[in-house]
Amino acid sequence: PPRISFRNVGLRYFSPRGETEALRGIDLDIRPGEFVAIVGQSGCGKSTLLSLLAGLVPPGSGTVAIDGVPVTGPGRRVGFMLQQDTLFEWRTILENTLLGPELQGGDMAAARRRAEALLTRYGLGEFMHHKPGQLSGGMRQRAALARTMCLEPDILLLDEPFSALDFQTRLMLADEIADIIRREGKTAILVTHDIPEAISMADRVVVLSRRPGRIRAIHDIAFPSAGG
Ligand code: ADP
Ligand code: ADP
C-alpha cells in the first residue's frame, strides 16, 4: 500500500483579488521510502501540494491520505525542511536540534542522545556547541535537517531547501541530503524548480503544469532495490 496517496485532489484559493484554481485532478501514489521530486514553474501549485500533505490546508475536493488515513490536520508523521533554515541564532546547534522535542515534551534524555547521534552522523559533531552564525550555509542546512529528523518523522517535505545557497554548496549538499534521507528510510517529497537537482536526488520526478496545477508527466529515475 502507498505511504502517501492523492486521489483526484483539487484546490482553489479565494482572496479579495479573486479565485485561483491552484490544483486540479491530482492523482499520485508514493511508496514508503520513495523520494519524489515535484517540479514546475513558479505558481504551479508545488507549495500547495506540500501544505496539503502537512495538513495545513484541506483539499477542496478529493483526498490526501497517509497510509490510507485521510490527512485532517498537522501531525507528527510529517517533517519539513525549508529554503530558509530557521535556526535560532542565540541557541547552539544542539539546542536548536532539541527544539522540537522540547516543544512536544517527552523523554529529553533520549532526545538528546538522538540529537547528538544525528549531528555526529551529519558531520556536525564538533560544532554541536557552536552557534549557527559560526557555521557555513551547507552546515546550517544539515543542522536544520538534524532538527527535523530529531522528531523522527516518517515523511520529509523539502521545499526548495537549497535555493538560498551558492552553486557549489548546493551541488554537494543535494547528494549528501538525498543519501541521508535514503539511508534513514524516509519517504521524501522535494519541491524545486531546479530540474538537475530533482533528477539527481529523486526516484521519480513529477512535472506540474500551471493554472490549474495538473500532473503533466511523471518520469521514473530509479528506485533502489532492497538492500541496494
Ligand atoms: P508554487 O509553489 O508552485 O509556486 P503555489 O502552490 O504557491 O505554487 O501557488 C499555486 C497558485 O495558487 C498560484 O497561482 C498562487 O498565486 C496561488 N496561491 C497560493 N497561495 C495562495 C493564497 N494563500 N491565496 C491566494 N492564492 C494563492
Ligand atoms: P528570496 O526568498 O527573496 O528569493 P532567499 O530565500 O533565496 O530570498 O534568500 C534570502 C537571503 O537569506 C539570501 O541572501 C541568503 O544569503 C540568506 N540565507 C538564506 N538561507 C541561508 C542559510 N542557510 N545560510 C546563510 N544565509 C542564508
Side-chain angles (χ1 to χ4, degrees), residues 83-85 137 140-141 163-165:
Q83 165 184 149
Q84 211 72 356
D85 74 54
R140 291 176 65 109
Q141 278 305 65
S163 54
L165 301 172

Side-chain angles (χ1 to χ4, degrees), residues 27-192:
D27 276 308
L28 182 66
D29 281 343
I30 299 175
R31 294 178 287 257
E34 196 181 8
F35 196 133
V36 169
I38 314 277
V39 302
Q41 293 173 39
S42 176
C44 70
K46 302 186 294 295
S47 301
T48 302
L49 267 183
L50 295 191
S51 302
L52 282 164
L53 257 178
L56 300 175
V57 293
S61 56
T63 1
V64 179
I66 297 177
D67 291 335
V69 180
V71 174
T72 55
R76 291 188 181 188
R77 299 200 58 194
V78 176
F80 269 101
M81 184 167 167
L82 305 173
Q83 165 184 149
Q84 211 72 356
D85 74 54
T86 48
L87 300 172
F88 289 106
E89 302 296 334
W90 65 89
R91 288 185 150 226
T92 67
I93 295 301
L94 179 62
E95 287 163 354
N96 264 286
T97 308
L98 287 170
L99 198 66
E102 268 172 34
L103 293 173
Q104 282 193 352
D107 185 346
M108 285 310 294
R112 189 183 166 114
R113 284 193 296 276
R114 215 156 59 227
E116 288 173 350
L118 282 165
L119 290 169
T120 303
R121 258 185 282 156
Y122 297 179
L124 295 171
E126 290 164 43
F127 298 91
M128 262 183 230
H129 304 294
H130 288 51
K131 300 278 170 70
Q134 297 169 271
L135 271 58
S136 69
M139 291 164 85
R140 291 176 65 109
Q141 278 305 65
R142 289 203 300 264
L145 181 65
R147 187 175 58 186
T148 301
M149 293 289 203
C150 201
L151 286 166
E152 305 184 292
D154 297 315
I155 297 170
L156 210 59
L157 307 181
L158 304 117
D159 194 354
E160 304 268 5
F162 312 120
S163 54
L165 301 172
D166 64 80
F167 184 71
Q168 283 303 329
T169 307
R170 43 191 305 173
L171 278 184
M172 224 170 52
L173 203 62
D175 280 350
E176 263 179 45
I177 301 265
D179 280 350
I180 289 170
I181 291 170
R182 285 215 169 77
R183 265 203 307 272
E184 304 195 356
K186 307 291 180 189
T187 306
I189 303 189
L190 166 74
V191 154
T192 180

